[in-house]
Amino acid sequence: DIQMTQSPTSLAASVGESVTITCLASEDIYGSLVWYQQKPGKSPQLLIYGATILEDGIPSRFSGSGSDTQYSLKINSLQPEDFASYYCQNGLSTPRTFGGGTKLELK
Amino acid sequence: QVQLMESGPGLVQPSETLSLTCTVSGFSLTSYNVHWVRQPPGKGLEWMGVMWSGGSTDYNSALKSRLSISRDTSKNQVFLKMNSLQSEDTTTYYCAREGNWELQYWYFDFWGPGTMVTVSS
């Protein structure tokens, strides 16, 4: 099984700042990396797939990068609605493993 | 529009069997994969298993001995059954549709709202 390791597990930032979350796969996933955002009490929402492709309707301040085993999610100019938890996922193979999550909190 | 909705008992006795239903609309189960994911309170997401569009299944190896996923395409429903429930199975259970980009990249594009299941006597 492919293991997904996310860092940091939590992150405090202010509105307007930029933050980066990283995800490391235990083996090459050939760009098949997915990012989700989850707000308290809600189901996860798709942000990015294929490591870099922004889902329709997602603001352009979100961006993804990476290849092979190392991937990143960057959020520019944080907005109040961005404070949530973020998860990466292996979209290449079964099991579709998730990273442990990153909780982005308001500083 | 695409919708998924989980339904289930809410409360299950320890050692009993959990039965959940994911009712979908706006797409065909024979064209899209449907996955089950769970999330303990305050914790991360755990992939449980999948009903592939072709009708086969795959399971999380840690749950495989207890888990069964099936479907009724005529009713647009996917079912999850898990036996021998314990307190650690107290979580929110989600079903999610899997979309793809040109059959190259796969992702969960629509999720149900989730159903919370508590295992307690």
Side-chain angles (χ1 to χ4, degrees), chain A residues 1 30-34 36 38 41-46 48-50 53 55 87 89 91-92 94-100, chain B residues 33 35 37 39 43-47 50 52 58-61 94 98 100-101 104-114:
Chain A
D1 297 357
Y30 302 96
S32 293
L33 191 281
V34 190
Y36 301 94
Q38 186 180 32
K42 300 294 186 181
S43 50
Q45 179 186 14
L46 175 66
I48 288 169
Y49 58 91
I53 303 171
E55 170 69 340
Y87 294 90
Q89 183 196 30
L92 177 70
T94 306
R96 299 276 199 258
T97 40
F98 292 93
Chain B
N33 309 323
H35 295 252
V37 176
Q39 184 174 38
K43 297 193 176 181
L45 302 168
E46 179 184 26
W47 181 82
V50 57
W52 300 108
D58 273 308
Y59 301 109
N60 183 323
S61 57
Y94 297 100
E98 183 167 51
N100 71 83
W101 181 80
Q104 180 177 0
Y105 298 127
W106 300 83
Y107 44 83
F108 297 174
D109 55 357
F110 290 91
W111 296 65

Side-chain angles (χ1 to χ4, degrees), chain B residues 13-35:
Chain B
Q13 303 275 341
S15 79
E16 297 286 296
T17 296
L18 171 67
S19 294
L20 297 177
T21 299
C22 175
T23 302
V24 311
S25 60
F27 68 96
S28 171
L29 293 178
T30 59
S31 296
Y32 287 87
N33 309 323
V34 172
H35 295 252

Side-chain angles (χ1 to χ4, degrees), chain A residues 12-93:
Chain A
S14 301
V15 172
E17 287 186 2
S18 295
V19 297
T20 298
I21 299 167
T22 63
C23 185
L24 180 66
S26 60
E27 58 187 82
D28 192 341
I29 57 172
Y30 302 96
S32 293
L33 191 281
V34 190
W35 291 100
Y36 301 94
Q37 177 193 68
Q38 186 180 32
K39 296 181 179 178
K42 300 294 186 181
S43 50
Q45 179 186 14
L46 175 66
L47 293 178
I48 288 169
Y49 58 91
T52 62
I53 303 171
L54 209 61
E55 170 69 340
D56 290 345
I58 301 301
S60 59
R61 62 180 180 273
F62 291 90
S63 64
S65 64
S67 62
D68 301 331
T69 62
Q70 298 189 52
Y71 299 88
S72 296
L73 170 69
K74 186 174 184 181
I75 314 172
N76 286 316
S77 187
L78 279 166
Q79 298 301 300
E81 60 269 28
D82 299 337
F83 293 92
S85 293
Y86 293 86
Y87 294 90
C88 64
Q89 183 196 30
N90 150 40
L92 177 70
S93 60

